[in-house]
């Protein structure tokens, strides 16, 4: 119970910079430990450029210094005025689940349509162009955005919490979701199994390959958390499913998978 209370406090009151710093350090540790595992799952094996990575560091620092400060000020001001408030009373799990689902699909809709708008000139040049300097994304690409884009994307949380008085337990889920999804879709590695896009239940949820192709091919795959709006609006890249299968086929041919097969284990897709 104390751990859960601490998590809720961290998710609702910590500075966004703390979130991203911890997430970046954790992802670096995971990368170091599982580098062999990840090598076969690299979406663009020859796509990484140190020059791009250097630029991402610069843009990330500028974004955090400006964007996080403005978002923090907006949230603090709205909270002080009572416009944003959290429910801390005992509640049922289904209430938290409904609130979380409202956020998850609400943000996905918000992100999809604003993302498409950000690809229209002159908005693209003013807001979104910095993010697309990274054609082969990595975890740092998550933060490599202009402060304006950061405010647009990050502004959904204060908007959502201003419109709805959600439970603090819901916020303890929303905070980590933003971090995990941001890092995963920009990771540059496909970790989901080969069957992910073949079942009705899972095929609607975004994969790293899906967003990686947005960076590489630009005019496709705009979704943030799901692929729902892309399928509805016809903006899924036509070769996405084929490319996903090819990446997973490469994984099955990797030395790690071959060793597992020899030992009588099923290779991880």
């Amino acid at each position: 119970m104390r751990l859960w209370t601490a998590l809720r406090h961290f998710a609702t009151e910590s500075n966004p910079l703390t979130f991203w710093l911890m997430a970046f350090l954790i992802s670096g540790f995971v990368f170091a430990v599982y580098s062999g595992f990840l090598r076969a799952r690299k979406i663009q094996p020859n796509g990484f450029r140190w020059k791009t990575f250097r630029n991402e560091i610069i843009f990330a620092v500028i974004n955090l210094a400006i964007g996080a400060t403005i978002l923090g000020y907006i949230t603090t001001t709205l909270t002080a005025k009572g416009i944003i408030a959290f429910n801390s009373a005992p509640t049922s799990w289904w209430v938290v689940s409904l609130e979380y689902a409202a956020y998850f699909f609400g943000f996905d809709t918000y992100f999809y349509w604003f993302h498409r708008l950000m690809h229209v000139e002159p908005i693209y040049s003013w807001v979104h162009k910095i993010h697309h300097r990274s054609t082969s994304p990595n975890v740092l690409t998550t933060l490599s955005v202009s402060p304006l884009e950061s405010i647009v994307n990050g502004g959904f949380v204060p908007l959502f919490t201003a419109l709805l008085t959600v439970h603090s337990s819901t916020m303890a889920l929303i905070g980590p979701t933003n971090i995990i999804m941001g890092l995963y879709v920009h990771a540059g590695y496909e970790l989901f199994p080969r069957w992910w896009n073949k079942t009705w239940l899972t095929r609607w949820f975004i994969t790293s390959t899906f967003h990686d192709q947005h960076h590489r091919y630009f005019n496709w795959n705009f979704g943030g958390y799901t692929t729902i709006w892309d399928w509805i609006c016809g903006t899924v890249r036509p070769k996405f499913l084929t490319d996903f299968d090819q990446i997973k086929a490469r994984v099955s041919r990797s030395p790690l998978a071959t060793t597992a097969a020899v030992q009588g284990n099923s290779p991880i897709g």
Side-chain angles (χ1 to χ4, degrees):
M1 184 61 69
R2 289 181 179 178
L3 178 61
W4 181 247
T5 301
L7 178 61
R8 289 192 309 182
H9 175 81
F10 180 76
T12 56
E13 298 185 26
S14 293
N15 189 296
L17 177 58
T18 306
F19 274 126
W20 290 113
L21 180 59
M22 290 189 64
F24 187 73
L25 292 175
I26 291 171
S27 63
F29 173 77
V30 171
F31 178 84
V33 173
Y34 293 104
S35 58
F37 172 85
L38 292 174
R39 192 174 298 115
R41 291 160 174 78
K42 190 76 172 77
I43 299 168
Q44 298 185 52
N46 300 315
F48 183 80
R49 297 289 183 272
W50 280 109
K51 181 179 179 180
T52 302
F53 190 72
R54 179 204 64 192
N55 292 338
E56 287 177 333
I57 294 175
I58 296 172
F59 293 139
V61 170
I62 295 173
N63 171 43
L64 287 172
I66 301 175
T69 299
I70 293 175
L71 284 172
Y73 174 79
I74 291 172
T75 302
T76 301
T77 301
L78 293 178
T79 302
K81 293 181 178 296
I83 298 174
I84 291 179
F86 300 105
N87 178 15
S88 299
T91 191
S92 302
W93 66 267
W94 61 266
V95 172
V96 175
S97 298
L98 287 176
E99 289 178 350
Y100 179 74
Y103 164 79
F104 190 92
F105 293 105
F107 176 78
D108 188 60
T109 300
Y110 173 95
F111 181 87
Y112 177 85
W113 290 106
F114 268 101
H115 193 184
R116 288 195 67 175
L117 181 63
M118 285 190 286
H119 275 255
V120 177
E121 288 288 7
I123 300 174
Y124 173 76
S125 296
W126 295 344
V127 180
H128 198 45
K129 187 174 182 178
I130 287 177
H131 191 56
H132 269 281
R133 288 176 178 267
S134 306
T135 55
S136 179
N138 61 84
V139 290
L140 192 58
T141 308
T142 311
L143 294 176
S144 182
V145 298
S146 73
L148 279 173
E149 180 171 353
S150 184
I151 293 168
V152 170
N153 292 339
F156 182 77
V157 173
L159 175 63
F160 179 76
T161 52
L163 293 174
L164 296 175
T165 303
V166 300
H167 200 273
S168 53
S169 296
T170 307
M171 288 304 300
L173 298 175
I174 289 175
T177 297
N178 289 334
I179 297 171
I180 293 170
M181 291 298 293
L183 292 174
Y184 172 66
V185 300
H186 293 104
Y189 296 88
E190 187 49 71
L191 304 180
F192 284 170
R194 194 169 189 171
W195 50 260
W196 187 262
N197 291 311
K198 300 182 186 299
T199 68
W200 188 90
L201 181 62
T202 57
R203 69 190 297 259
W204 306 107
F205 293 93
I206 198 170
T207 64
S208 185
T209 302
F210 189 85
H211 191 71
D212 193 282
Q213 290 195 350
H214 173 73
H215 278 262
R216 188 175 184 182
Y217 300 109
F218 187 76
N219 286 321
W220 307 97
N221 303 3
F222 293 94
Y225 286 175
T226 79
T227 63
I228 293 174
W229 283 107
D230 282 291
W231 286 113
I232 291 174
C233 299
T235 52
V236 175
R237 183 170 178 266
K239 291 187 64 179
F240 160 64
L241 295 175
T242 301
D243 288 350
F244 183 90
D245 287 341
Q246 289 177 349
I247 292 169
K248 304 315 293 184
R250 183 191 341 129
V251 171
S252 66
R253 296 192 300 268
S254 70
L256 183 65
T258 302
T259 302
V262 170
Q263 294 175 346
N265 299 318
S266 298
I268 300 174

